[in-house]
Amino acid sequence: MFNYILRRILSLPVVILGVTLLIFLMMQLLSPYQLLASYIRSPEELKNKDPDVLIHTYGLDRPAGERYVKWIQNVIRGDLGWSNSANMPVKEAILARFPATLELALFAVIPVIFGGILLGSFAAMHHNRWGDHLTRIFAIVGWSLPSFVGGLLVLMIFYGVLGWFPPGRLSTWAYQIVTSDQFVNYTGMYTLDAILNGNWAIFWDALRHLIGPTLTLAYLWWAFIMRITRSSMLDTMNKDYVRTGRSKGLPERVVVKKYIRSNALIPVVTVAGLMVLGLLGGVVIVETVFDFKGLGLLTATAAQQLDYAAVLGTTMFYCFLLVIVNLIVDILYAFVDPRVRLE
Amino acid sequence: MTHVIQVDDLRTYIKTERGVVKAVDGVSFSVDEKEVLGVVGESGCGKSITALSIMQLLPDRFASIESGSINYIPRDGNASIDIARLNPKSREMRSIRGKEISMIFQEPMTSLNPVYTVGEQIIESLLLHEKMNKKEAMMRAVELLKHVGIPDPELRVREYPHQMSGGMRQRVMIAIALSCNPRFLIADEPTTALDVTIQAQILDLMKRLQQEHDMSIMMITHNMGVVGLMCDRVLVMYLGRVVEEAKVREIFKSPLHPYTLGLLNSIPKLNPKERKKDRLIPIAGNVPDPSEIVTGCRFAPRCPRAFDKCQEEPPLIEVETGHKVRCWLHE
Ligand SMILES: Nc1ncnc2c1ncn2[C@@H]1O[C@H](COP(=O)(O)OP(=O)(O)O)[C@@H](O)[C@H]1O
Ligand code: SF4
Ligand SMILES: [Mg+2]
């Protein structure tokens, strides 16, 4: 187990090198003038200056190898350039937005994974009976409903009609407290910070704002995890070892738990990892509908405004997340499957 | 001599898209205490379905016991239990499975749960049927592994199935099956999937264990050689029916049914050297699809000695005490 994890961690630098090379390669599609944009904070800076001179100053006309090294050095220092669309350094923009995305993802992941697995195994146990059909309809609706429609429905019902779950991340009064000096921002995730500050009013307010987007995301991904769990369970049910379990005289409940579900969960881990990755990369549409300012919204705005620095920066950040999440998935994999652990 | 199991006119049907397959079609037999009964026949003749019917482990969606009885006679002289009437999921059936009747399957590579250690899989039955605590059960598991000839049992008890070879896994399966000292063991082609050399080892082991544990065994195989090595009596099955039944000595000395003759002529040798020299004489043709057969002797399409009368199905006739055959040639 230890060896396995160590091997995975040792392979990380190689993966990261590959990823940075790939991004750098894509950057070669941009002209030096476009790249220059990430060094310029305001149009004033360009006044009475020759862009070609600036390009030379920033070394953008140097050979690729040299530029790559310099770029990597900057990235390691956390210098990802200036974002024109956010009007702040890219690094700060990401750090300001990521907690919102992370908070949303964490809230969505738990009901999605547990609910998905429970519903999926329920469907499999009721294969081709009404329980299966009902969950199938539930899944198809969730899966085929575009998230802007789902999001708007949630917003309409729970905000428009019932007034329970408003858009945004906080109410105005709460926002004022959060940005004041009395409130310490430990993580940038308001629910967690509110608990750490012992401020329950803020906690409830943050939670109220989270439920709408969480619900929308959960419904979509629920369907996904559920269908994977279901088909994996159905597959596992016919395995020889399940019959062995029954031949021992074990009660059906134990057979389902120890023989069917524990084996069926192995592929679910992979899918769940992909899902977490998707959620962490920001969910543009849900963030837009609920005015929930996260990473997705940042990237989308940057792309619309041809803010190269921010697009490259978020790409870099996303790749970094990908590597981390993959590592976690690999480790989880080893936990659920001894064949991987002892390979 | 007392019976352990008595099967009467068992019919187990399988519903497929192409219609109902009478996989087991009126099979009767019994197994005595400490007896090894061989069940032979080519693949598709209903051997496994017969075994799974006794265990009530049929794939419940499409296979079910239509009629007949399967009486299990408990050791303490209690009244016999008709397994065919029990609900497969009932407590009563579960208390028979693994405790009174155990089964070993054909595919050692896939018959163990990949995510638990072999030790954990052995103690499951012990915790369930014997009133043992976990520690005692683990110690017993080590003993059992040693008993079935696994070296370094203290270490191997903590291994996962994928760390073991096919032969080792089949030994583990045997250990699981024997863990609660069953009275009756069903072995469904336990060596078919193994290398020839390993096959002989496993058969030796089973023979030894059968004597040590005073078990009755139903030994399913398609190899007459295994029957000669292991069994006291044999049941030859063809397309869901018993076509011949006799003592093993009898079957090798004077086989009666043309199908049995065919099987005897196609014994694969357990010794690989002999195997090369000996040309097998296979039975002509293949086992037909059981959903197609209708009338007459079921073996007639492949029988070298078929004649007019064979358009009618022969009954199972007892030609000598304990020697029965289903063929018009021995009327
Ligand atoms: N899972 C199944 N689905 C459909 N038909 C089956 C299944 N298992 C067995 N059968 C049918 O039942 C008949 C008897 O099969 P089986 O008992 O497995 O044969 P054997 O063990 O003698 O090789 C065969 O004709 C086979 O086609
Ligand atoms: S009854 Fe006829 S067809 Fe059937 S085995 Fe005997 S001789 Fe062959
Ligand atoms: Mg079989």
Side-chain angles (χ1 to χ4, degrees):
Chain A
M1 184 74 179
F2 178 75
N3 273 338
Y4 170 83
I5 295 175
L6 196 70
R7 253 184 298 147
R8 288 296 125 129
I9 291 176
L10 287 180
S11 71
L12 284 189
V14 183
V15 177
I16 289 177
L17 183 76
V19 165
T20 53
L21 276 174
L22 215 63
I23 294 177
F24 187 72
L25 214 65
M26 291 195 307
M27 276 166 71
Q28 303 317 301
L29 297 173
L30 301 175
S31 71
Y33 299 97
Q34 288 167 316
L35 290 172
L36 183 61
S38 70
Y39 292 90
I40 308 299
R41 304 194 165 206
S42 72
E44 251 88 294
E45 285 184 31
L46 283 173
K47 227 175 241 172
N48 308 324
K49 287 213 176 118
D50 183 354
D52 290 320
V53 175
L54 284 172
I55 284 172
H56 189 71
T57 325
Y58 291 117
L60 294 172
D61 52 355
R62 310 296 301 166
E66 209 174 302
R67 275 184 294 129
Y68 175 70
V69 172
K70 182 149 183 276
W71 177 64
I72 288 291
Q73 282 168 347
N74 284 343
V75 169
I76 289 171
R77 268 190 286 117
D79 179 4
L80 297 169
W82 181 263
S83 161
N84 288 310
S85 63
N87 203 23
M88 59 172 95
V90 174
K91 176 188 156 197
E92 274 167 40
I94 292 176
L95 288 183
R97 294 300 190 83
F98 184 60
T101 296
L102 184 62
E103 191 176 25
L104 182 53
L106 289 179
F107 267 83
V109 150
I110 291 157
V112 165
I113 291 184
F114 285 93
I117 289 174
L118 278 176
L119 280 178
S121 59
F122 172 82
M125 298 325 289
H126 292 84
H127 184 42
N128 281 343
R129 278 177 276 164
W130 66 266
D132 189 20
H133 300 312
L134 219 65
T135 48
R136 181 182 296 133
I137 294 170
F138 184 67
I140 290 172
V141 173
W143 197 228
S144 45
L145 198 71
S147 48
F148 63 88
V149 178
L152 283 175
L153 278 175
V154 168
L155 206 56
M156 254 163 57
I157 298 169
F158 292 104
Y159 180 57
V161 179
L162 299 168
W164 292 348
F165 310 139
R169 281 189 74 193
L170 283 176
S171 307
T172 324
W173 62 265
Y175 189 72
Q176 275 163 1
I177 296 177
V178 167
T179 45
S180 72
D181 295 340
Q182 318 139 22
F183 193 90
V184 194
N185 281 293
Y186 297 99
T187 61
M189 292 186 270
Y190 294 144
T191 44
L192 192 58
D193 286 350
I195 294 175
L196 294 176
N197 281 280
N199 191 330
W200 295 102
I202 302 273
F203 176 78
W204 284 119
D205 191 63
L207 193 62
R208 240 154 50 97
H209 286 81
L210 266 169
I211 291 177
T214 302
L215 213 62
T216 314
L217 284 177
Y219 187 30
L220 171 78
W221 287 96
W222 236 336
F224 194 59
I225 297 283
M226 190 198 105
R227 296 302 286 178
I228 300 285
T229 309
R230 176 186 174 275
S231 66
S232 174
M233 292 266 296
L234 286 177
D235 210 40
T236 314
M237 262 179 211
N238 294 319
K239 296 279 195 232
D240 291 334
Y241 50 76
V242 176
R243 195 180 51 194
T244 307
R246 293 207 176 95
S247 81
K248 294 176 178 175
L250 293 171
E252 199 55 23
R253 176 178 44 80
V254 179
V255 174
V256 171
K257 185 169 152 259
K258 289 179 79 174
Y259 284 76
I260 303 179
R261 198 180 298 137
S262 49
N263 280 288
L265 285 188
I266 295 168
V268 177
V269 171
T270 318
V271 173
L274 285 176
M275 177 193 79
V276 170
L277 205 59
L279 289 176
L280 286 180
V283 275
V284 182
I285 292 169
V286 171
E287 284 178 15
T288 311
V289 170
F290 288 95
D291 188 29
F292 200 90
K293 293 198 173 59
L295 208 55
L297 214 50
L298 176 75
T299 318
T301 319
Q304 273 172 351
Q305 302 186 11
L306 303 182
D307 178 357
Y308 300 110
V311 171
L312 284 173
T314 47
T315 309
M316 197 60 219
F317 183 71
Y318 188 69
C319 289
F320 179 69
L321 281 178
L322 185 114
V323 170
I324 300 285
V325 172
N326 262 335
L327 179 71
I328 294 173
V329 168
D330 278 349
I331 292 173
L332 277 180
Y333 226 83
F335 265 106
V336 295
D337 191 347
R339 283 161 295 190
V340 173
R341 196 185 316 152
L342 301 163
E343 100 194 351
Chain B
M1 209 177 275
T2 39
H3 294 331
V4 170
I5 203 117
Q6 165 105 40
V7 175
D8 281 303
D9 200 26
L10 177 68
R11 283 165 209 275
T12 304
Y13 294 174
I14 297 176
K15 289 159 206 84
T16 67
E17 284 116 39
R18 284 171 302 135
V20 174
V21 174
K22 298 180 176 178
V24 178
D25 198 10
V27 165
S28 306
F29 64 93
S30 62
V31 185
D32 287 340
E33 246 173 13
K34 301 175 199 171
E35 185 188 34
V36 182
L37 174 76
V39 177
V40 276
E42 289 160 294
S43 151
C45 287
K47 307 181 298 293
S48 296
I49 299 292
T50 307
L52 293 172
S53 302
I54 298 174
M55 289 295 279
Q56 284 273 31
L57 285 176
L58 294 164
D60 60 346
R61 276 304 149 79
F62 52 88
S64 60
I65 298 174
E66 290 299 307
S67 68
S69 64
I70 303 167
N71 277 294
Y72 172 70
I73 298 103
R75 49 189 122 199
D76 38 22
N78 285 345
S80 66
I81 303 163
D82 184 0
I83 290 174
R85 305 242 172 293
L86 296 182
N87 179 333
K89 287 182 180 153
S90 66
R91 183 180 288 271
E92 208 177 357
M93 190 61 228
R94 285 196 284 106
S95 68
I96 293 177
R97 253 187 239 134
K99 167 78 182 141
E100 309 288 334
I101 310 176
S102 285
M103 185 161 173
I104 309 170
F105 301 94
Q106 184 174 346
E107 310 82 5
M109 298 312 275
T110 52
S111 288
L112 290 167
N113 190 342
V115 298
Y116 287 94
T117 62
V118 299
E120 285 166 324
Q121 298 186 55
I122 298 172
I123 65 169
E124 256 179 343
S125 318
L126 294 168
L127 297 177
L128 189 73
H129 297 297
E130 313 284 328
K131 287 174 190 74
M132 277 191 196
N133 64 38
K134 215 165 178 169
K135 210 173 147 214
E136 289 168 341
M138 250 327 163
M139 275 158 63
R140 178 96 181 96
V142 174
E143 276 168 33
L144 280 162
L145 287 183
K146 197 169 166 192
H147 194 50
V148 296
I150 292 186
D152 301 324
E154 298 86 1
L155 297 177
R156 305 222 89 174
V157 77
R158 277 187 297 248
E159 289 192 354
Y160 288 89
H162 75 273
Q163 293 170 285
M164 296 188 158
S165 67
M168 285 294 155
R169 291 189 210 188
Q170 198 60 301
R171 284 173 195 266
V172 171
M173 279 300 296
I174 295 173
I176 291 173
L178 294 188
S179 58
C180 301
N181 280 312
R183 224 163 143 232
F184 182 43
L185 176 71
I186 302 175
D188 189 357
E189 313 214 21
T191 59
T192 304
L194 301 172
D195 287 348
V196 238
T197 41
I198 313 281
Q199 281 189 18
Q201 290 173 13
I202 297 284
L203 291 175
D204 279 349
L205 172 70
M206 292 190 63
K207 190 79 202 156
R208 192 194 92 212
L209 294 172
Q210 187 264 331
Q211 279 155 7
E212 283 176 19
H213 289 249
D214 286 337
M215 271 185 303
S216 310
I217 297 184
M218 176 170 153
M219 184 79 189
I220 298 176
T221 175
H222 56 252
N223 183 344
M224 270 292 187
V226 173
V227 171
L229 217 61
M230 296 282 299
C231 305
D232 304 315
R233 209 152 51 84
V234 66
L235 212 63
V236 183
M237 279 185 77
Y238 189 72
L239 286 183
R241 298 234 168 187
V242 175
V243 293
E244 186 161 4
E245 180 187 335
K247 292 251 186 250
V248 166
R249 223 179 319 113
E250 196 74 6
I251 225 109
F252 280 94
K253 203 174 71 194
S254 53
L256 297 180
H257 201 282
Y259 181 59
T260 313
L261 274 164
L263 288 175
L264 283 168
N265 282 332
S266 56
I267 298 180
K269 289 288 181 311
L270 278 177
N271 183 338
K273 283 192 197 118
E274 283 176 54
R275 189 173 247 207
K276 285 206 188 85
K277 284 188 294 192
D278 244 39
R279 285 282 309 278
L280 303 181
I281 309 157
I283 306 167
N286 292 314
V287 184
D289 194 291
S291 57
E292 287 163 17
I293 39 143
V294 261
T295 53
C297 173
R298 297 181 185 207
F299 190 56
R302 299 169 72 192
C303 183
R305 303 184 58 186
F307 58 109
D308 295 349
K309 198 159 185 195
C310 304
Q311 278 161 12
E312 230 178 282
E313 188 172 23
L316 193 61
I317 307 159
E318 186 152 17
V319 281
E320 256 175 77
T321 336
H323 195 162
K324 297 178 192 166
V325 66
R326 191 189 288 279
C327 173
W328 289 125
L329 293 171
H330 306 283
E331 213 178 337

